[in-house]
Amino acid sequence: MAVGFAVTSAVEGNYNGNITWFVILSCLMAAMGGVIFGYDIGISGGVTSMESFLKRFFHEVYIKMNEDTKISNYCKFDSQLLTSFTSSLYIAGLFASFFASFVTRVFGRKPSMLTGGAAFLAGSALGGAASNVFMLILGRALLGVGVGFANQSVPLYLSEMAPPRYRGAFSNGFQFSVGIGALSASLINYGTQKIKGGWGWRVSLAMGAVPASILTLGALFLPETPNSLIQSHNGEEKAKSMLQLVRGTPSVQAELDDLIKANSNTQAIRQPFRTITQEKYRPQLVMAIAIPFFQQVTGINVIAFYAPVLFRTIGLGESASLMSAVVTGVIGCSSTFISMLIADKLGRRTLFLVGGIQMFVSQLMVGGIMAAKLGDHGGLSEGYAYVVLLSICIYVAGFGWSWGPLGWLVPSEIYPLEIRSAGQSITVAVSFIFTIAVAQASLAMLCHLKSGIFFFFGGWVAVMTAFVYLLLPETKNIPIEQMDRVWREHWFWKRIVDQEQETSRWKDPDPVPA
């Protein structure tokens, strides 16, 4: 039985247009929303391994790391207050994402990006100036508001501005930007930990203001997407002009007609969050929940948030741990860039499956070596430490060209316009919920499960790879306003979608409130 759906390149001929400098520059500016997200991920993991930062704000962890000779290697960083520093951002981002959905849908993608950049700018300033834990976590909350708005609006902006045949490359630019932000943070952490006087962490936290300023100022000059112009203002002429500009051709009528048709469906929707629960949107709702959930339980955030902490656990020093985080950052950026180049050629499913197998094998290797060679005291030998580092690099590469970028790309392209903002909000919210859970539990899990934490996440990688193989249709080269066809032709989802359509023929349409 076939369990996938491949599309032909003939679909590309429906719309005209190519990549233009206008759309490239617009998307580069918007992608700064990914940079601020990645920068925070990289910075939080780095500063929590700096002794000067721990001594000032998390003295208990500092004592366990330097003076307690009886505590297990796996438990030195186990502190709920320390993990709260990381997860507080995502708690704030979770609540912000729902308000961001309203702003994105009613006022457009630009105001959401502007709000996100401004909030992140304020949070960076407060974090850099922090004198106590309260200021530190309040700054993190403001960063969370910024990330919540940026993660809501930027993937939508990129997918709507990109030509259909290149949508994978453009949308994967979000995850590439996340990687650039994380790599920049790792390099800054490596440099600032050498500053004498122990205040380098302030520079690390405050430097988040640089990409936030670029996003905030850039959002003032960014064009709104044609989809948003039609949805927010019902301005068909403005949308046509913008579409001609971003596609570089006057022949955009076919794409414009689909946008107008999608918008007419939107006007009948008064409660998009209730609408998305209807049976005809069941495939999209399942993916809106499953994909961000699986993205988080790959275990990537154990690496992203706590890579330097993990490397110190296996016996590397402070500088070596931060440099190892730089190495994994380079690997992540490189693999995501490769994904940008091949996602529209090989397809989403192929990358998901190859990346999943690669991640599964590498996690088993890391868990096996740590189980056999790393006890509660002492460290790994240099040889085994570098084998673990190599295995983690293989794992990061697998994530970088599969669940990293595709975890944002696929949800951003599968929703019809009438539920797009609500669907993206659910995706972001689920991502934040499980990011909070993983961030808050990771160090405790490392303490209690020890090497078993890698087998735990490896099991989830096996489950999600099977999920993709069985239930995710291929979406490459499908125009975003024609995406409903992939569900009607998929071996499993067509039974649900066709059944709903058959039922709806015998029912009167719901009245539209006056």
Side-chain angles (χ1 to χ4, degrees):
M1 176 173 57
V3 290
F5 172 61
V7 299
T8 65
S9 59
V11 178
E12 298 175 10
N14 288 357
Y15 294 164
N16 294 316
N18 292 297
I19 297 176
T20 63
W21 280 109
F22 185 83
V23 74
I24 288 175
L25 293 174
S26 298
C27 290
L28 282 175
M29 189 62 68
M32 293 305 294
V35 174
I36 66 173
F37 186 29
Y39 186 86
D40 177 78
I41 291 173
I43 283 296
S44 60
V47 297
T48 52
S49 73
M50 293 184 185
E51 294 190 9
S52 58
F53 179 80
L54 293 174
K55 187 175 182 179
R56 184 179 184 90
F57 296 106
F58 305 98
H59 195 69
E60 179 186 349
V61 177
Y62 175 80
I63 294 297
K64 285 194 295 184
M65 185 177 68
N66 287 282
E67 300 178 13
D68 192 337
T69 58
K70 296 182 179 180
I71 194 166
S72 168
N73 283 321
Y74 295 98
C75 299
K76 289 182 177 180
F77 292 87
D78 183 19
S79 165
Q80 288 301 301
L81 184 60
L82 182 62
T83 52
S84 295
F85 166 74
T86 299
S87 60
S88 57
L89 180 147
Y90 299 94
I91 295 172
L94 171 63
F95 290 102
S97 65
F98 289 104
F99 185 66
S101 172
F102 171 79
V103 174
T104 303
R105 176 170 55 90
V106 176
F107 299 104
R109 284 52 168 157
K110 280 182 56 175
S112 259
M113 287 187 280
L114 180 62
T115 304
F120 199 92
L121 182 60
S124 297
L126 190 59
S131 59
N132 52 57
V133 173
F134 174 77
M135 287 181 66
L136 200 64
I137 293 183
L138 181 59
R140 294 284 296 171
L142 286 171
L143 296 178
V145 173
V147 169
F149 273 85
N151 284 11
Q152 163 68 24
S153 53
V154 171
L156 290 183
Y157 188 93
L158 296 175
S159 66
E160 291 178 348
M161 290 292 277
R165 73 184 73 179
Y166 303 115
R167 190 175 60 247
F170 275 83
S171 295
N172 278 4
F174 179 76
Q175 182 64 28
F176 182 66
S177 300
V178 173
I180 291 292
L183 175 59
S184 300
S186 296
L187 288 168
I188 290 171
N189 282 334
Y190 182 72
T192 58
Q193 62 92 22
K194 297 179 180 295
I195 296 176
K196 294 181 179 180
W199 52 270
W201 59 269
R202 292 192 183 275
V203 178
S204 293
L205 294 177
M207 284 291 286
V210 175
S213 298
I214 297 173
L215 177 64
T216 305
L217 294 174
L220 295 174
F221 301 99
L222 282 176
E224 192 55 89
T225 69
N227 313 60
S228 184
L229 288 172
I230 290 179
Q231 185 180 29
S232 300
H233 311 293
N234 205 26
E236 295 178 11
E237 288 303 316
K238 289 183 179 180
K240 183 176 182 179
S241 298
M242 181 57 64
L243 206 53
Q244 290 171 334
L245 187 60
V246 298
R247 299 291 181 254
T249 176
S251 304
V252 296
Q253 194 60 46
E255 186 171 1
L256 180 65
D257 288 343
D258 278 344
L259 293 180
I260 294 171
K261 180 181 178 182
N263 185 60
S264 66
N265 294 333
T266 305
Q267 299 307 311
I269 303 300
R270 296 292 184 267
Q271 297 176 312
F273 284 99
R274 183 176 179 181
T275 300
I276 199 174
T277 63
Q278 294 177 7
E279 194 168 13
K280 66 178 178 180
Y281 300 119
R282 187 62 46 78
Q284 291 94 332
L285 180 59
V286 168
M287 296 302 163
I289 297 172
I291 289 178
F293 166 73
F294 284 140
Q295 188 187 50
Q296 299 311 311
V297 294
T298 56
I300 189 60
N301 282 338
V302 177
I303 307 299
F305 295 149
Y306 304 118
V309 170
L310 178 63
F311 294 136
R312 296 205 70 172
T313 297
I314 64 176
L316 298 180
E318 182 175 349
S319 292
S321 296
L322 291 171
M323 179 50 69
S324 298
V326 172
V327 172
T328 58
V330 171
I331 297 290
C333 283
S334 301
S335 57
T336 302
F337 183 73
I338 292 172
S339 181
M340 290 175 62
L341 299 178
I342 63 178
D344 291 314
K345 296 181 176 64
L346 295 182
R348 285 60 158 148
R349 277 169 48 84
T350 300
L351 291 177
F352 267 131
L353 296 175
V354 172
I357 293 170
Q358 182 176 337
M359 293 163 66
F360 176 72
V361 172
S362 58
Q363 283 178 317
L364 293 186
M365 290 177 61
V366 173
I369 292 173
M370 292 181 69
K373 300 295 180 180
L374 181 65
D376 286 328
H377 304 285
L380 291 175
S381 66
E382 184 176 347
Y384 279 115
Y386 284 109
V387 171
V388 168
L389 177 59
L390 176 62
S391 299
I392 289 175
C393 287
I394 294 171
Y395 165 81
V396 169
F399 181 84
W401 55 54
S402 62
W403 280 93
L406 301 183
W408 293 106
L409 165 60
V410 173
S412 74
E413 67 185 0
I414 62 174
Y415 307 122
L417 184 60
E418 63 267 23
I419 60 166
R420 189 168 300 157
S421 183
Q424 184 66 12
S425 255
I426 293 172
T427 296
V428 173
V430 171
S431 179
F432 278 143
I433 287 171
F434 287 100
T435 298
I436 294 165
V438 171
Q440 196 66 31
S442 290
L443 296 182
M445 289 174 66
L446 182 64
C447 178
H448 295 288
L449 297 180
K450 301 183 179 180
S451 59
I453 190 172
F454 293 97
F455 299 118
F456 173 81
F457 288 119
W460 278 112
V461 171
V463 171
M464 67 184 69
T465 303
F467 174 88
V468 168
Y469 180 74
L470 293 170
L471 296 177
L472 183 68
E474 183 54 72
T475 55
K476 71 171 183 176
N477 299 332
I478 303 291
I480 197 168
E481 304 305 340
Q482 298 178 14
M483 195 62 69
D484 61 325
R485 60 181 291 183
V486 304
W487 312 110
R488 295 199 306 268
E489 300 182 35
H490 186 268
W491 73 274
F492 177 80
W493 296 116
K494 67 180 181 181
R495 287 180 273 180
I496 295 174
V497 176
D498 288 347
Q499 180 181 358
E500 192 282 334
Q501 289 179 340
E502 185 67 26
T503 302
S504 65
R505 294 176 187 172
W506 300 96
K507 294 181 179 179
D508 293 328
D510 292 334
V512 178

